[in-house]
Amino acid sequence: MTTLNTRVSGTRAGRLTAPAYAYAFFEEFILLYPVYALLFTETGLTVPQISVLFVLWALTSVTLTVPAGALADMIPRRYLLAAAPVVTGTGFALWTLFPSPWIFALGFVLWGAGGALSSGAFEALVYTELEHRGLEDRYARIMGVTRALGVSAVGSATLLAVPAMSQGGYPLVGAASVAACVLCALAALFLPEHRTRSASDGDEEAGPGYRRTLLLGLAEVRDDRAVRAAVLLVILVSAFWGSLDEYVPLLAEDSGIATEDVPLVLLVVWIGVTLGGLLAGPASRLPHPFLAALLVLAAVAIAGALLTDPVGWVLLAFGFGVCQMMIVVSDARLQDSITGGSRATVTSLADLGTEGLGTSTYLVYAGVFTVLGHGAAFALFATPHLVAALFLARMGRSRSKDRAPAAPSKVTRRTGENPKAS
């Protein structure tokens, strides 16, 4: 009977998971990722100028993330998800065809806008669709697989970029990147979508206006303690290790690893991160204290960057893998806590916090590295995960209070019914 139920559940989720997995893979299968900085320098840009482009990219994303999330609560999310890679791919095409400083700036604006369009929309669509099928308990496992596929796509693109550059240079790499964006957009159009709104959200057919949708999402984060705590947990878990990830190649070189051997270190880390995503489903069923203990171990493991031997790289892979797993688990906690119709708006607020804190982390890391070096900087930036662990443990202690029997059920809150009226 259990096997039959599993097969039925798999069939019911299949129409969602296949295009969702394809979307996650092609979104990251961009051959330009490992070489676009080289394109900039060969065009004549200096390191400070490239840094300005990164800031422009981040500012665009931060500015548009929440407005795009509110838009995703008003119109079909799959259309926004299809538009996102098209906008990003347009920027990549412009870089390849007309390489110049101003075109690079425009491309980063388009890339930031594309990222904002998908911010919150993908998670909201997947969770809502699973909820429609009565399979929301599978959300963490499915999103863990999408994360793992994204890491695999980045690794595959990095490996393929080398022969592609030797055979066709930037035109070939750019064309392959644009093709991946097109395939990503097509995958989005195959995503199923069922939208429901609560009676408290406004007219059931027309839905609330844009401003009301945005305010409803902001109000849910402000007024619902469970949602607010879940948003903070997502930010604490996501922001710091996501920033450290960018510095792994520099850490490897600073540790004395030969340039040609740096990809081996990255491979070890990628394996850890991929396994972390795949284990997110089972981990989502673990109690809060156990997850908090895993975060403590992750912080200690990331501090293993102080070691300059293979043990240190394995520890780093373990720490990053746990962080990847916890990103999915904390996102699942957030989706479970949202009860209103502005799901994408609330999710995009968590993304905004992650992006804002992550951007500031880059600036702080530069100063810390100047004084202490990469290894010590990694160890220092692992400590916020201890704060996240304490916060998670506290969430576990207060969870029973938030779920008192007298409180309205999730269904009651969603439909806006008065429990006393029945």
Side-chain angles (χ1 to χ4, degrees):
M1 188 66 178
T2 302
T3 303
L4 178 61
N5 290 337
T6 302
R7 289 178 180 176
V8 172
S9 298
T11 301
R12 290 161 65 191
R15 280 199 62 228
L16 169 67
T17 55
Y21 292 162
Y23 189 92
F25 181 84
F26 288 115
E27 185 181 31
E28 300 294 342
F29 188 67
I30 307 299
L31 270 65
L32 268 173
Y33 281 173
V35 298
Y36 68 78
L38 300 178
L39 174 62
F40 297 164
T41 56
E42 291 180 13
T43 308
L45 268 65
T46 63
V47 172
Q49 289 173 324
I50 295 175
S51 299
V52 170
L53 292 179
F54 288 155
V55 171
L56 179 62
W57 178 27
L59 287 176
T60 303
S61 179
V62 168
T63 302
L64 298 179
T65 289
V66 175
L71 186 63
D73 285 322
M74 293 185 60
I75 66 175
R77 291 166 182 150
R78 65 193 185 103
Y79 293 155
L80 285 180
L81 291 173
V86 172
V87 173
T88 302
T90 301
F92 294 155
L94 291 173
W95 283 358
T96 306
L97 296 173
F98 311 104
S100 68
W102 288 108
I103 292 297
F104 295 150
L106 175 60
F108 269 118
V109 170
L110 291 173
W111 193 354
L117 287 175
S118 62
S119 174
F122 184 74
E123 293 87 349
L125 185 150
V126 171
Y127 189 90
T128 302
E129 196 61 27
L130 289 172
E131 189 176 46
H132 174 76
R133 290 163 161 76
L135 301 172
E136 59 265 39
D137 60 321
R138 299 185 62 183
Y139 176 80
R141 184 170 72 83
I142 290 173
M143 292 304 294
V145 173
T146 65
R147 291 272 184 174
L149 286 170
V151 175
S152 300
V154 172
S156 301
T158 300
L159 294 175
L160 289 175
V162 176
M165 280 292 293
S166 64
Q167 294 296 320
Y170 293 112
L172 179 58
V173 170
S177 301
V178 172
C181 291
V182 172
L183 291 173
C184 184
L186 291 175
L189 295 177
F190 282 95
L191 287 167
E193 185 172 8
H194 295 82
R195 299 292 292 273
T196 57
R197 288 192 177 276
S198 65
S200 62
D201 287 341
D203 188 286
E204 291 186 359
E205 293 184 0
Y210 177 83
R211 182 173 180 274
R212 179 166 170 75
T213 299
L214 180 60
L215 291 177
L216 285 170
L218 295 173
E220 183 162 12
V221 175
R222 182 192 64 216
D223 300 334
D224 192 317
R225 187 173 67 175
V227 174
R228 187 168 62 250
V231 168
L232 289 174
L233 180 63
V234 170
I235 295 172
L236 284 173
V237 170
S238 306
F240 294 98
W241 90 270
S243 302
L244 290 179
D245 181 53
E246 303 292 337
Y247 295 99
V248 172
L250 299 178
L251 171 68
E253 288 189 337
D254 191 57
S255 300
I257 301 295
T259 302
E260 60 271 18
D261 293 331
V262 169
L264 296 177
V265 173
L266 295 178
L267 178 61
V268 172
V269 175
W270 285 340
I271 291 173
V273 174
T274 302
L275 290 175
L278 294 176
L279 291 173
S284 66
R285 296 187 288 272
L286 295 174
H288 282 74
F290 195 91
L291 293 173
L294 281 177
L295 267 178
V296 172
L297 290 177
V300 174
I302 292 173
L306 287 168
L307 304 176
T308 57
D309 55 21
V311 174
W313 304 122
V314 173
L315 286 173
L316 190 63
F318 171 79
F320 278 12
V322 171
C323 290
Q324 175 79 304
M325 180 184 72
M326 284 304 304
I327 284 179
V328 179
V329 172
S330 59
D331 173 47
R333 296 283 197 275
L334 173 60
Q335 299 303 326
D336 286 337
S337 68
I338 298 172
T339 58
S342 298
R343 181 175 297 278
T345 305
V346 174
T347 307
S348 67
L349 283 167
D351 290 343
L352 174 63
T354 300
E355 289 285 342
L357 188 57
T359 301
S360 62
T361 299
Y362 289 129
L363 300 176
V364 176
Y365 185 96
V368 173
F369 158 72
T370 303
V371 178
L372 301 176
H374 285 294
F378 266 66
L380 181 62
F381 276 85
T383 55
H385 296 98
L386 299 176
V387 178
L390 291 173
F391 186 74
L392 183 59
R394 184 178 178 182
M395 285 178 63
R397 287 194 297 269
S398 62
R399 195 175 184 183
S400 58
K401 297 179 182 179
D402 294 335
R403 293 186 177 182
S409 68
K410 190 172 184 178
V411 174
T412 301
R413 294 164 67 191
R414 190 181 302 282
T415 58
E417 295 174 355
N418 186 347
K420 295 181 180 179
S422 58

